[in-house]
Amino acid sequence: MALWFTENQSENVRFSFRVKEQLFHGKSNYQMLDYYDSYEFGRVMVLDNIIMLTEKDEFIYHEMIVHPAFMVNPNIKRVLIIGGGDGGTLREVLKHNVSEPELVDIDDLVLKTAPKFIPFTGKALEDPRAKVMAADGIEYMKTKSNEYDLIIIDSTDPISVGEGLFTKEFYKNCFNALKEDGILINQAESPFYYEKQFLNIYEKLNSIFPIFSFYSAPVPTYGSGYWMFGFASKKYHPLNDFKADSFDLSTMKYYNTDIHKAAFVMPNFVKNLLKR
Amino acid sequence: MALWFTENQSENVRFSFRVKEQLFHGKSNYQMLDYYDSYEFGRVMVLDNIIMLTEKDEFIYHEMIVHPAFMVNPNIKRVLIIGGGDGGTLREVLKHNVSEPELVDIDDLVLKTAPKFIPFTGKALEDPRAKVMAADGIEYMKTKSNEYDLIIIDSTDPISVGEGLFTKEFYKNCFNALKEDGILINQAESPFYYEKQFLNIYEKLNSIFPIFSFYSAPVPTYGSGYWMFGFASKKYHPLNDFKADSFDLSTMKYYNTDIHKAAFVMPNFVKNLLKR
């Protein structure tokens, strides 16, 4: 067997895994979509040749993009996910007692294929408790005001399709769409390869929200493996308002209460980056 | 430019970086040694086609393999490094007020070339305060008893040359070579790809030392990027005996007092692995 998938993590770094079988190849109006079955990582979803998730490590990313916010405000009911068409973030949101979570992903092809090719995340998209829409998150957000307890931006990288989900205007619309104690979580790239994008997120969100912190988790199949999330909040502080006993976390595979606190700790090189 | 170095991180995963120039290629009695200059990672040292360190991220590994022990016992004076022929661990040890630290690396070729090709770590090998020996660490350890405050096993992976540095017999000799309040630190692989090796380290060290914990750090150029260290100790507990004000940490690039505490936090999947 000599079939390999290769991602260019940067111009000068490549990450490859051995493929059992290409399960699907398609092109939507927005991007190229591939599903693979792999030896090391199980099923893998790829957009425009960038790994979006693998069966082996998606639990880290999806637990970490969802649960910290709920442990800070256990009363979150109204949730909006922008992107996240693979269904993993929605699956984790549905572990909480929420009221019809909404998911808006621009790419209908992703939404239609994920339940079949990556059912471990994709079948959440068919859950009758959720409202899943194929629509432009940027436009959708312009119509909303004072509505959500939690918005999660589960986007691709800030290039091509995902670019508009990293602008100041979009973040301001998210701010307006949140209630007065609302929280915004976004996937925030890595400070190791993508320093500029990382700082860009910081400058924008930090200027709009009264409370902003990064938190980190290891995601082995993302560039550098050292991945960041942004926690932007109108009222609740991610550590001072942390409520350790809010939920039963025993079924989590990555997240626990100590991990919550540890994830917000930043090493000196990141602190120094943010000081500049 | 189309020169790429590729490491097989596992049978089914490859990691590649673009090379500016191969600076050195040699073969010792023990292993193949290469130095590269790369676009993304600066200088890189490679043993038997496995990345040992890169100029860009070695600071994380070397700070984390050295400083946590000193912050738990600030009175560490006698230090032995097994392996670590690149000099990075020694460089960090020499930031403390220690008494002639010893470094025993089996491969003279590594010790002779590191100061030239990777001076940012290698020049520590020429520091007159240190005693650097080209010798077999396994044999060296058999001759020592009740001598060291700290032993650091800065080895290659538990295959080929490094294998003997992961045996129960070797760990017992380390135990004997340590003083009654001694600490042993080792590089402990990753639970993501190398689950078996990781558990192997746990079972052995945990059965010999009264106190044992893993701690983690992100090392982007090691397999999975999620790397572990073992903290094995006769007396001091890594968190209960942590002395936050022992040293000025302002020049550290990764490590700080909050990172110390966060590094010892384990996610559920690692806790569950260790319970089995």
Side-chain angles (χ1 to χ4, degrees):
Chain A
M1 284 294 292
L3 187 62
W4 288 78
F5 167 83
T6 294
E7 172 180 328
N8 294 319
Q9 290 190 330
S10 79
E11 197 189 338
N12 302 309
V13 180
R14 289 177 182 160
F15 182 74
S16 312
F17 59 80
R18 196 154 73 98
V19 170
K20 280 187 187 170
E21 187 186 353
Q22 184 172 27
L23 303 170
F24 176 86
H25 171 76
K27 206 166 171 342
S28 71
N29 290 331
Y30 306 101
Q31 52 204 346
M32 197 166 71
L33 169 62
D34 292 278
Y35 294 101
Y36 298 101
D37 195 8
S38 74
Y39 286 89
E40 183 75 41
F41 302 117
R43 297 282 176 108
V44 182
M45 175 185 165
V46 171
L47 288 176
D48 285 343
N49 291 323
I50 306 287
I51 297 168
M52 288 296 111
L53 67 79
T54 87
E55 193 169 357
K56 185 167 179 175
D57 68 350
E58 59 85 11
F59 71 95
I60 303 174
Y61 176 86
H62 289 125
E63 288 185 8
M64 290 303 282
I65 204 169
V66 170
H67 303 302
F70 281 91
M71 294 293 281
V72 168
N73 177 14
N75 298 315
I76 286 171
K77 294 292 170 213
R78 295 272 290 127
V79 179
L80 170 65
I81 301 163
I82 300 288
D86 54 73
T89 297
L90 181 58
R91 178 192 68 201
E92 296 302 314
V93 166
L94 287 167
K95 291 180 180 172
H96 296 279
N97 181 25
V98 291
S99 144
E100 200 185 43
E102 299 173 16
L103 184 150
V104 176
D105 193 293
I106 201 166
D107 199 337
D108 198 38
L109 184 64
V110 171
L111 294 171
K112 277 188 174 140
T113 52
K116 178 174 178 188
F117 293 108
I118 46 172
F120 48 89
T121 58
K123 70 179 179 185
L125 298 166
E126 300 174 336
D127 193 299
R129 292 172 292 171
K131 187 176 174 187
V132 175
M133 293 163 270
D136 182 345
I138 297 168
E139 293 303 316
Y140 191 77
M141 201 57 89
K142 288 179 185 167
T143 67
K144 299 290 173 180
S145 175
N146 193 30
E147 206 161 310
Y148 299 103
D149 299 305
L150 172 64
I151 295 172
I152 300 175
I153 309 175
D154 182 9
S155 67
T156 54
D157 298 319
I159 44 169
S160 71
V161 192
E163 204 172 354
L165 303 177
F166 289 85
T167 64
K168 198 155 182 176
E169 190 196 346
F170 176 67
Y171 291 148
K172 279 184 183 163
N173 290 336
C174 288
F175 185 92
N176 292 333
L178 286 166
K179 292 182 191 165
E180 63 180 16
D181 62 351
I183 296 172
L184 171 79
I185 303 288
N186 74 338
Q187 80 83 357
E189 303 291 309
S190 169
F192 191 75
Y193 292 142
Y194 318 115
E195 190 179 306
K196 199 177 148 192
Q197 290 94 317
F198 175 71
L199 283 176
N200 203 15
I201 292 165
Y202 175 71
E203 279 155 19
K204 289 173 184 167
L205 282 175
N206 196 46
S207 73
I208 297 169
F209 283 83
I211 295 164
F212 180 77
S213 293
F214 284 116
Y215 63 101
S216 74
V219 184
T221 57
Y222 286 178
S224 90
Y226 181 52
W227 212 253
M228 288 284 175
F229 302 88
F231 183 106
S233 175
K234 292 189 179 184
K235 182 177 166 192
Y236 300 110
H237 186 275
L239 297 172
N240 301 343
D241 293 307
F242 178 58
K243 294 160 192 78
D245 300 320
S246 310
F247 298 101
D248 174 15
L249 300 173
S250 61
T251 61
M252 300 286 156
K253 290 195 280 178
Y254 184 81
Y255 183 71
N256 59 47
T257 57
D258 290 331
I259 283 285
H260 180 103
K261 288 174 261 182
F264 284 90
V265 172
M266 291 291 124
N268 288 358
F269 82 97
V270 175
K271 286 185 180 184
N272 291 337
L273 261 182
L274 300 182
K275 268 186 217 151
R276 288 202 320 229
Chain B
M1 283 294 290
L3 187 62
W4 288 77
F5 167 85
T6 295
E7 172 180 328
N8 294 320
Q9 290 190 330
S10 80
E11 197 189 336
N12 302 311
V13 180
R14 289 177 181 161
F15 181 73
S16 313
F17 59 81
R18 197 154 73 99
V19 170
K20 279 187 189 172
E21 188 185 353
Q22 183 172 28
L23 303 170
F24 177 87
H25 172 76
K27 207 169 172 340
S28 72
N29 290 331
Y30 307 100
Q31 54 204 345
M32 197 165 73
L33 169 61
D34 293 278
Y35 294 102
Y36 299 100
D37 194 8
S38 73
Y39 285 90
E40 184 74 41
F41 301 119
R43 296 283 176 109
V44 183
M45 175 185 166
V46 171
L47 288 175
D48 285 343
N49 291 324
I50 307 285
I51 296 168
M52 288 296 113
L53 67 78
T54 86
E55 192 170 355
K56 184 165 179 175
D57 68 351
E58 59 85 11
F59 72 96
I60 302 174
Y61 176 85
H62 289 126
E63 288 185 10
M64 290 303 281
I65 203 170
V66 170
H67 303 302
F70 281 91
M71 294 292 282
V72 167
N73 177 13
N75 298 314
I76 286 171
K77 294 291 171 214
R78 296 272 289 126
V79 180
L80 171 63
I81 301 163
I82 301 287
D86 54 74
T89 297
L90 182 57
R91 179 193 66 200
E92 296 301 316
V93 166
L94 287 167
K95 290 180 179 172
H96 297 278
N97 181 25
V98 292
S99 145
E100 200 184 42
E102 298 172 16
L103 184 150
V104 176
D105 193 293
I106 201 165
D107 199 336
D108 200 37
L109 184 63
V110 171
L111 295 171
K112 279 189 174 139
T113 52
K116 179 175 178 189
F117 294 108
I118 45 170
F120 49 89
T121 58
K123 69 178 182 186
L125 299 165
E126 299 175 335
D127 195 299
R129 292 172 292 171
K131 188 177 174 187
V132 175
M133 292 163 271
D136 183 345
I138 297 168
E139 293 304 316
Y140 191 77
M141 202 56 91
K142 289 178 184 167
T143 69
K144 300 291 174 180
S145 173
N146 194 31
E147 208 162 306
Y148 300 102
D149 300 305
L150 172 64
I151 295 172
I152 300 174
I153 310 175
D154 182 10
S155 68
T156 54
D157 298 320
I159 44 168
S160 72
V161 192
E163 204 170 358
L165 303 177
F166 289 86
T167 66
K168 198 156 182 174
E169 191 196 347
F170 176 68
Y171 291 148
K172 279 183 181 162
N173 290 335
C174 288
F175 185 93
N176 293 332
L178 285 166
K179 292 184 191 162
E180 65 181 14
D181 62 351
I183 297 171
L184 172 78
I185 304 289
N186 75 339
Q187 80 82 357
E189 303 292 308
S190 169
F192 191 75
Y193 292 142
Y194 318 116
E195 187 179 307
K196 199 177 149 193
Q197 291 93 314
F198 175 71
L199 283 175
N200 204 16
I201 292 165
Y202 174 71
E203 280 156 18
K204 288 173 184 168
L205 283 174
N206 195 46
S207 72
I208 297 169
F209 284 83
I211 296 163
F212 180 78
S213 292
F214 284 116
Y215 63 100
S216 73
V219 184
T221 57
Y222 286 179
S224 89
Y226 181 54
W227 212 253
M228 288 283 178
F229 302 87
F231 183 105
S233 174
K234 292 189 179 183
K235 182 177 165 191
Y236 301 109
H237 187 276
L239 296 172
N240 301 342
D241 293 308
F242 178 59
K243 295 161 191 78
D245 299 321
S246 309
F247 298 100
D248 173 14
L249 300 174
S250 61
T251 62
M252 301 286 159
K253 289 194 281 179
Y254 184 80
Y255 183 71
N256 58 48
T257 56
D258 291 331
I259 283 285
H260 180 103
K261 289 173 262 183
F264 284 90
V265 173
M266 292 291 125
N268 287 359
F269 81 98
V270 175
K271 287 185 180 184
N272 291 336
L273 261 181
L274 301 181
K275 269 187 217 153
R276 288 204 316 231

